[in-house]
Amino acid sequence: MNAVSLHMPSEILLKIFSYLDAVSLLYIGCVNKRFYHLANDNVIWFKMYSSFFPPKRTNWKTNSVERTAVLLSDATIQDRESGYWKNEYIMKQIAAGKTRIIQLLKPINPYTGLPLKTKEAIKAYRLSWVIVLKDRNGKEHIIEQVDISFNDTSITVFWYGTNWPCLDTLSTLELCGVTPLLLDQCKVPTKNRPRRRSLIAEFNLTNLTKVTTMIGSDMLVQLFRLNPGLLVGLWKKGNGIAFVMASLHHHQLIERSTLGSAAIQYILPPHKPILDDVDPEYGLHGYQLHIDMHSGGHTYLCGTFHNLFCRKDYIRNGYLRLTVISIKNNSQHLPLAGKVGFFWRTDVFEGCEANNCYVMDVTLLDETEKPFWCFSAPVYMKLSSKASCLYDYMGHNYDLNYVDSEGKVHVELVWVEETKEYYIVNLVLYLSTEKVNRWFGTKY
């Protein structure tokens, strides 16, 4: 923008602006206060609105905005507050985009109870994810998504590079979904176009290495887990950030990544208790679990378990127990396929592996086949201190535990030296009675 254009009469500038598209108008409005006011001109935006959303011929079916568009003259258009038709245009574009995405998410996978076309919806929405690192002085460092992998019931997003701020100066990390402000006019995603941010989660980075669980390491990095679903890799030399990984479950992922604001997370609509028509003395019944264990494109276990139940006498210490794989039933025991480990990469290193760590995705459906408890999180296997009571397996025993506000997962594994593989010999879910009572209106 040269000095001559900055001093042009407003009438000439408005004529020039009338030939710009919506994205260019938004850009030009960032030059200075005068250009911002001119780029909000209602006549320009009204004509753009009318060309993209022409009023329907049957006026009795049109909404109030469309009826107004038919009747307004240039004079009355300018009577609206500055930017009125710009806001109407943007909101209508956003609503049209959401309608298309909702249609994509309608088909449901009968095995997982989740939308079949989450991957297609992400691409159609041009959805990506950023992390916002804030230092103690309030300065923001926005790190763009570098890589993404699509799993059966989750996605894994990576951020890495060489320009990380110093970890010791950082206070928080915000994970946000990012979408183009004007979906139809952004064919290729770019960070320089107008975008909307939706806050998914916020993490405290203060004293990270002292207060956060280290779940694994190799010769180069240490892995620190922050719930829910975030993994931070720190270089062993220098304690700087090597990479950040987020594991995001498909359940309501699109809503969480698009319907919040830059400062406020999307709040799920309140759940209406489902009437359980079975005698409460019987407990839970007809549950279905889909579980995935994976890392770096390698799948170690992917299975669906039906007809899970919990009798009332299984309820103890505030949890209802669902036994998926019983330690007493050898026919249920399952091996993990391949060499288990967490695979990570950066600009410099690729294919590196931290042993005994991977990502676990859990999708539990209730008796109506609706998602009841879903998460995706980095987990690790720890050498067990308990003596083995199994005589059919000779090898070291390992425990894997996951806990959040809605439940717990406990897995017991045995390393079989002869075949060089891990076997799951016990898999139990513990559901919070508070969650169950809130879901069904019961009083366990």
Side-chain angles (χ1 to χ4, degrees):
M1 191 65 62
N2 58 42
V4 174
S5 62
L6 290 173
H7 294 90
M8 279 185 180
S10 296
E11 293 77 7
I12 296 177
L13 287 173
L14 283 172
K15 186 65 176 178
I16 296 171
F17 290 0
S18 69
Y19 293 102
L20 300 179
D21 60 22
V23 172
S24 300
L25 272 176
L26 293 174
Y27 282 146
I28 208 74
C30 297
V31 173
N32 56 36
K33 288 184 178 180
R34 183 186 179 214
F35 276 33
Y36 174 79
H37 176 73
L38 293 173
N40 277 354
D41 182 75
N42 276 329
V43 173
I44 295 176
W45 283 101
F46 170 76
K47 290 178 180 177
M48 197 175 303
Y49 180 96
S50 300
S51 65
F52 273 86
F53 308 108
K56 301 171 185 176
R57 292 184 179 180
T58 52
N59 286 345
W60 63 274
K61 287 185 178 180
T62 61
N63 62 35
S64 59
V65 171
E66 289 171 336
R67 287 197 298 272
T68 304
V70 175
L71 300 172
L72 287 179
S73 65
D74 280 4
T76 53
I77 289 169
Q78 290 289 28
D79 287 342
R80 298 279 191 178
E81 65 272 18
S82 178
Y84 173 84
W85 283 104
K86 179 181 82 170
N87 293 334
E88 290 291 340
Y89 175 83
I90 291 174
M91 296 308 295
K92 194 74 176 283
Q93 285 277 15
I94 292 172
K98 286 180 180 177
T99 300
R100 292 197 297 273
I101 303 305
I102 289 171
Q103 293 301 317
L104 272 176
L105 295 176
K106 278 188 175 180
I108 299 298
N109 186 321
Y111 295 102
T112 65
L114 302 171
L116 267 171
K117 297 184 177 181
T118 297
K119 182 177 180 179
E120 290 84 348
I122 290 172
K123 291 184 176 180
Y125 225 142
R126 296 176 183 87
L127 174 60
S128 62
W129 289 266
V130 300
I131 52 177
V132 182
L133 301 169
K134 294 185 178 181
D135 63 25
R136 295 187 180 93
N137 296 321
K139 183 180 178 181
E140 290 188 352
H141 307 265
I142 299 177
I143 313 296
E144 300 289 332
Q145 165 188 317
V146 176
D147 200 4
I148 183 172
S149 63
F150 293 88
N151 313 303
D152 202 29
T153 57
S154 72
I155 64 167
T156 307
V157 187
F158 273 93
W159 298 266
Y160 52 81
T162 57
N163 296 319
W164 294 98
C166 178
L167 177 63
D168 293 336
T169 67
L170 299 177
S171 58
T172 59
L173 181 154
E174 294 178 351
L175 171 62
C176 300
V178 178
T179 50
L181 183 61
L182 300 173
L183 191 60
D184 285 340
Q185 300 184 31
C186 183
K187 303 303 180 185
V188 180
T190 169
K191 65 180 181 179
N192 294 322
R193 284 184 171 267
R195 303 189 298 178
R196 300 172 65 244
R197 280 199 325 219
S198 175
L199 178 64
I200 298 174
E202 185 174 0
F203 305 88
N204 186 3
L205 296 183
T206 305
N207 297 321
L208 176 68
T209 58
K210 297 179 181 178
V211 300
T212 307
T213 303
M214 187 180 79
I215 68 170
S217 64
D218 59 19
M219 295 179 62
L220 297 172
V221 299
Q222 295 176 315
L223 306 178
F224 291 87
R225 182 180 67 193
L226 293 87
N227 289 330
L230 197 77
L231 195 67
V232 179
L234 300 182
W235 297 115
K236 282 188 172 179
K237 289 186 178 180
N239 206 35
I241 299 175
F243 65 87
V244 175
M245 184 209 80
S247 187
L248 303 172
H249 197 279
H250 283 177
H251 181 50
Q252 295 180 320
L253 173 62
I254 302 297
E255 293 89 336
R256 290 182 290 131
S257 300
T258 61
L259 298 183
S261 70
I264 302 175
Q265 298 180 41
Y266 168 67
I267 299 176
L268 300 178
H271 174 75
K272 295 180 180 179
I274 302 170
L275 179 63
D276 191 342
D277 58 356
V278 176
D279 185 347
E281 295 296 321
Y282 185 77
L284 306 182
H285 58 92
Y287 277 58
Q288 179 176 312
L289 171 68
H290 187 84
I291 187 168
D292 296 278
M293 296 178 176
H294 59 89
S295 176
H298 304 270
T299 299
Y300 309 125
L301 177 70
C302 180
T304 303
F305 302 85
H306 301 273
N307 299 320
L308 305 179
F309 64 92
C310 171
R311 296 192 178 94
K312 193 170 183 181
D313 55 345
Y314 291 176
I315 304 173
R316 295 177 185 172
N317 301 320
Y319 289 96
L320 294 89
R321 187 182 77 205
L322 294 177
T323 299
V324 183
I325 296 175
S326 173
I327 196 168
K328 298 177 181 179
N329 188 342
N330 285 13
S331 65
Q332 295 182 345
H333 299 170
L334 294 173
L336 298 186
K339 186 180 179 182
V340 175
F342 177 77
F343 293 87
W344 59 273
R345 57 188 174 277
T346 67
D347 290 340
V348 180
F349 299 98
E350 185 171 353
C352 301
E353 175 188 358
N355 293 328
N356 295 352
C357 305
Y358 46 86
V359 175
M360 180 169 69
D361 303 337
V362 163
T363 309
L364 182 66
L365 308 183
D366 65 17
E367 61 194 72
T368 65
E369 299 183 347
K370 301 295 183 184
F372 177 80
W373 182 33
C374 303
F375 69 83
S376 178
V379 293
Y380 66 104
M381 301 183 299
K382 185 178 179 181
L383 194 62
S384 177
S385 58
K386 296 190 302 182
S388 175
C389 60
L390 298 169
Y391 301 105
D392 296 316
Y393 302 95
M394 298 298 293
H396 294 297
N397 300 314
Y398 291 83
D399 291 333
L400 183 157
N401 293 288
Y402 172 86
V403 181
D404 65 24
S405 62
E406 298 189 352
K408 302 188 292 186
V409 179
H410 175 69
V411 184
E412 295 179 26
L413 307 98
V414 176
W415 170 253
V416 180
E417 184 64 33
E418 185 177 353
T419 58
K420 303 292 183 183
E421 59 188 351
Y422 292 97
Y423 266 79
I424 296 180
V425 297
N426 195 23
L427 170 56
V428 183
L429 306 184
Y430 295 91
L431 307 181
S432 163
T433 54
E434 182 180 344
K435 161 80 172 181
V436 174
N437 290 336
R438 190 169 62 248
W439 192 263
F440 291 108
T442 50
K443 295 182 179 180
Y444 289 122

